[in-house]
Amino acid sequence: MGRADSDSVFAELDDVSAAAYGYAVEQGRFVREEIAGHLSLTPQEAQRAEQALRSLRLLQPMPGSPGELVPVAPDAAAAALVGPAERQIRDLTNAVTDIRTKLHSLTPLYFEGRRLRNRVEAFDIISDKSRVQSMLDHLSRHCRRELMSVQPGGARPAHVLAEARISALGVLEHGAAIRTIYQHTARNDLPTRAYVRDVTEHGAEVRTVDQVIDRLIIYDREVAFLPERTADGRPGGAAIVREPTLVAFLCAVFDYLWDNGSPFVVESQRAAAAPDAIRKSIIQLMARGYKDEMVARRLGMAVRTCRRHIAEITEELEATSRFQAGFNAALRGIHDGDHTSSS
């Protein structure tokens, strides 16, 4: 029964029909002429009341006397009226459950087919973030040897770290290795330090560098994820790279960053950034003419924090401008790491 049909049926249960039903219950039967006389109804009104009560199953023929109508209890009428619909809903629910179970049984076959197809596909561009996350989750669950990732931008949100912790511990439990690269500025963030402590205690390795190119995730040196670049600059999905030569190149980039990184060892909850490395990176970027916003972005720190460092560096180098600070730094050999802090 559709919604429109059910609405029209219940709309017929007006005051007249209800009064006719009540009188029929008192008398133990429904006689149209008696109802019309008792309620002062016209024959047409009495007939409409009878039709409404019969459509609602509140009147049924007496067994053995089809010509006589007797009132039925409301709960019995409701069971007779909605019982078929309830059975249909139950059957549909069972059918939906059965279909979902059968389709889900094909999931392993689908992913195995995708794995075989990945060998010949170079890359995919997937803009749907939920689909990208689904692929990341699947590959994390099936990672066999190593998960490598580069996470730029300094500290990551606490809720992201909570999800990453669960995923990372699952990868480690399966026996795969994890190597992660952050920027030096992430060392100052307590949630990030807590995350690093948890995953390194279970075997993960984490290092930090001053600058990274972009976010990068590589599974088993076979599949790599890169951020999608959109024409309007809005955040996109991901480019999934499977072509062996491209993946090998990305692995080489990761290994280069890793070899030049500093181990992220959490010994206490006290902030343990690498101030000398950060200051050196800031000076190098200043010498190249980068503005404060660009320096902060490349080093994964807040602009305000970056400007504070720049002010301290400028004062230390006895400079009156950014250009002079870069020039003085070059004279002192800071770019090459030979600078010793002066008092």
Side-chain angles (χ1 to χ4, degrees), residues 30-38 41 46:
F30 184 95
V31 180
R32 191 186 304 170
E33 292 76 12
E34 293 180 4
I35 295 292
H38 179 74
L41 303 177

Side-chain angles (χ1 to χ4, degrees), residues 13 141 194 197 236 335:
L13 187 59
R141 290 192 299 269
R197 183 184 62 247
H335 293 177

